[in-house]
Amino acid sequence: MAPSALLDHYLAISRLLAGQLEFRSAIRAVAAEISHIIPHDHLDVCIMTHGGKYHTAYETGIETAWGNRPSALVLESPIRTLLWGEVGYLLTDDACVDPRFNFDGAFSRPILEEALRSRIHVPLKVEGDVIGALSCSAHDAALYTLDDVSNARSIADLLSPYFFALRAAEQAQQSAIVEAEARAREEGLRLGALKLTEALEAERQRIGMDLHDQTLADLTRLSRRLERLTREPDISGETLEPLARSLQHSMQDLRQIIDEAKPSILQLFGFAQAVENQLDRAIRDSGLCVTQRLVDNTAGIIDKLEPTVRIALFRITQEAINNAVRHGQPDHITVTLSGKPDGISIEVCDDGIGIAKLRRRNGSGIDNMKTRARLISARFTILDARDASGTIVAIHLPTTAQSIQSGNQA
């Protein structure tokens, strides 16, 4: 080839490299021009990484297992002596039988599978350091000469600085990704700790509400009765017996609060069964003659909520039932669970004394229910029954606030 034509091809290679931002696209962009200088059936550039311990091949022409390996040990490369700088080039008439390419442990399978006999390998160097290699291969044996080696070196000199810059950019990008992932993990840990703190605080508030609404009220009554008894000159066993019985009831209630920190019936049998059990227990413990009814139109959707949301809804329903039985003096209580397009609704309806008197008797119980509803983004309302006799406590969890467990969505 005339020197002027050779120069034109070199200049064309330089122009084609401009604007290429990725190794594979860069080698494919210049492959045709290189073929005018060095005919080949397979062309690849390998770039060393991780301090020269690994290398990655970017190929064009024939697709081989070299290009499918994201990273490989230089120790296993058929051209390791070149990458280590032990030889200035590699030239062979038939790599299929050349022992330099077929040593023990060498990944030479593509050479044999694709019959890449004639091969030229020259180093890519930047400031005297080998950063990779340019390789040209052909099916025909004894195709290349030392002149081809010289031309390959010239091409390598054009490619080296560009591929060095691409490697530096890729390493910077990988470092940025690693740093971003580290920051994301740190932020995830921070948010996880924050959520854990919030969950612990919510649980602390829940237990405080339960103790306030039940155990503290009972103990307050006991304290007042004891105070009255201190003014009595003589105290008989019969007088103390009701106090002992009330104290036992308070202890039993406290055990129940502890046992219900994670209500097992709710976990084992579902929301509707837990509500029905609460109705039975509240009415039984009150000693009143109250009829009850549970209507469940949710098709089990409540049991697909996140546990924290499901437990909060149960606590509100539990409190509404307890208030109706203890303070409302009803003859009948109906709990309705509804699954609607806009969310989940729960109504506790009784035919008792009505909301005005209930508010005076219930203390902070209503506020506790409001707090729980607010924590799960649910809407809480309490109003007179539609027939003006009794009370309706309603909770609505909007669709946007529903937290469905991914494992249950299927």
Side-chain angles (χ1 to χ4, degrees):
M1 183 180 297
S4 59
L6 194 61
L7 179 60
D8 288 340
H9 289 304
Y10 288 148
L11 293 175
I13 291 172
S14 297
R15 287 194 299 269
L16 290 169
L17 285 173
Q20 302 298 330
L21 302 178
E22 191 264 334
F23 291 110
R24 190 167 282 102
S25 63
I27 192 63
R28 290 176 179 175
V30 299
E33 285 298 329
I34 293 177
S35 68
H36 292 303
I37 304 171
I38 305 174
H40 58 267
D41 296 308
H42 177 266
L43 177 71
D44 75 72
V45 167
C46 71
I47 302 296
M48 291 197 293
T49 59
H50 299 88
K53 187 176 181 180
Y54 293 88
H55 72 298
T56 303
Y58 305 95
E59 58 188 2
T60 185
I62 301 172
E63 298 292 333
T64 74
W66 288 326
N68 294 328
R69 302 176 78 190
S71 187
L73 285 168
V74 172
L75 185 66
E76 299 174 352
S77 173
I79 60 169
R80 63 183 184 182
T81 55
L82 180 79
L83 295 174
W84 286 339
E86 296 176 358
V87 296
Y89 67 91
L90 287 170
L91 172 65
T92 181
D93 290 338
D94 191 348
C96 293
V97 296
D98 193 326
R100 293 178 297 174
F101 299 90
N102 297 280
F103 53 85
D104 187 26
F107 187 68
S108 303
R109 194 180 73 214
I111 294 176
L112 303 175
E113 290 178 347
E114 305 298 337
L116 300 177
R117 292 183 172 84
S118 294
R119 308 201 77 201
I120 298 174
H121 305 275
V122 294
L124 300 175
K125 288 186 176 182
V126 173
E127 296 182 347
D129 295 328
V130 177
I131 66 165
L134 169 66
S135 303
C136 298
S137 304
H139 293 142
D140 296 336
L143 181 65
Y144 299 129
T145 66
L146 288 175
D147 288 338
D148 294 311
V149 172
S150 178
N151 289 334
R153 282 174 166 166
S154 298
I155 296 171
D157 289 341
L158 290 174
L159 299 180
S160 294
Y162 204 89
F163 280 105
F164 178 79
L166 287 179
R167 187 181 71 169
E170 185 178 83
Q171 290 173 342
Q173 183 182 27
Q174 291 174 348
S175 297
I177 292 173
V178 170
E179 183 178 355
E181 289 176 345
R183 289 180 178 177
R185 285 193 297 270
E186 182 179 346
E187 180 66 10
L189 290 173
R190 188 187 69 81
L191 291 176
L194 178 61
K195 288 182 178 179
L196 177 60
T197 302
E198 292 174 348
L200 291 173
E201 177 62 19
E203 183 67 7
R204 186 190 67 80
Q205 290 183 12
R206 181 194 67 75
I207 294 174
M209 292 175 194
D210 290 343
L211 291 173
H212 175 274
D213 295 343
Q214 187 166 313
T215 306
L216 182 60
D218 293 340
L219 292 176
T220 300
R221 286 192 294 271
L222 283 172
S223 175
R224 289 173 180 171
R225 292 176 66 180
L226 285 171
E227 185 179 356
R228 287 195 297 270
L229 288 175
T230 59
R231 294 191 288 269
E232 298 290 334
D234 296 314
I235 303 175
S236 64
E238 293 180 356
T239 304
L240 293 175
E241 193 274 336
L243 286 176
R245 189 167 58 250
S246 297
L247 183 58
Q248 289 176 351
H249 286 321
S250 295
M251 294 170 62
Q252 182 179 354
D253 290 341
L254 183 58
R255 290 192 188 98
Q256 182 176 322
I257 290 173
I258 295 172
D259 291 340
E260 291 180 351
K262 288 186 177 180
S264 59
I265 294 178
L266 178 62
Q267 292 177 333
L268 295 175
F269 302 107
F271 193 90
Q273 184 65 41
V275 170
E276 188 172 29
N277 180 77
Q278 179 61 32
L279 273 169
D280 292 338
R281 176 185 293 178
I283 294 172
R284 183 181 65 250
D285 292 347
S286 71
L288 301 175
C289 183
V290 181
T291 60
Q292 66 182 64
R293 184 179 176 221
L294 174 67
V295 180
D296 182 11
N297 298 321
T298 64
I301 187 65
I302 298 182
D303 294 318
K304 296 181 180 180
L305 294 172
E306 287 286 352
T308 52
V309 178
R310 188 170 68 251
I311 290 174
L313 286 176
F314 176 74
R315 293 301 184 191
I316 297 170
T317 307
Q318 181 184 48
E319 179 72 13
I321 291 171
N322 288 339
N323 288 342
V325 173
R326 292 175 186 167
H327 311 300
Q329 302 173 16
D331 294 321
H332 186 78
I333 298 176
T334 300
V335 180
T336 305
L337 313 177
S338 303
K340 302 178 180 179
D342 62 341
I344 293 173
S345 295
I346 302 172
E347 284 190 358
V348 179
C349 181
D350 69 76
D351 59 355
I353 61 177
I355 185 174
K357 294 181 180 179
L358 181 60
R359 282 186 183 276
R360 289 196 296 270
R361 294 188 180 188
N362 192 37
S364 62
I366 294 175
D367 292 335
N368 291 344
M369 288 189 284
K370 289 180 178 179
T371 299
R372 284 197 172 99
R374 191 164 54 248
L375 289 172
I376 60 172
S377 302
R379 185 171 66 250
F380 174 87
T381 54
I382 181 169
L383 62 158
D384 287 321
R386 298 175 182 90
D387 58 2
S389 174
T391 305
I392 296 177
V393 176
I395 313 105
H396 180 74
L397 183 69
T399 302
T400 54
Q402 290 182 28
S403 183
I404 306 294
Q405 298 182 85
S406 58
N408 290 331
Q409 283 183 303

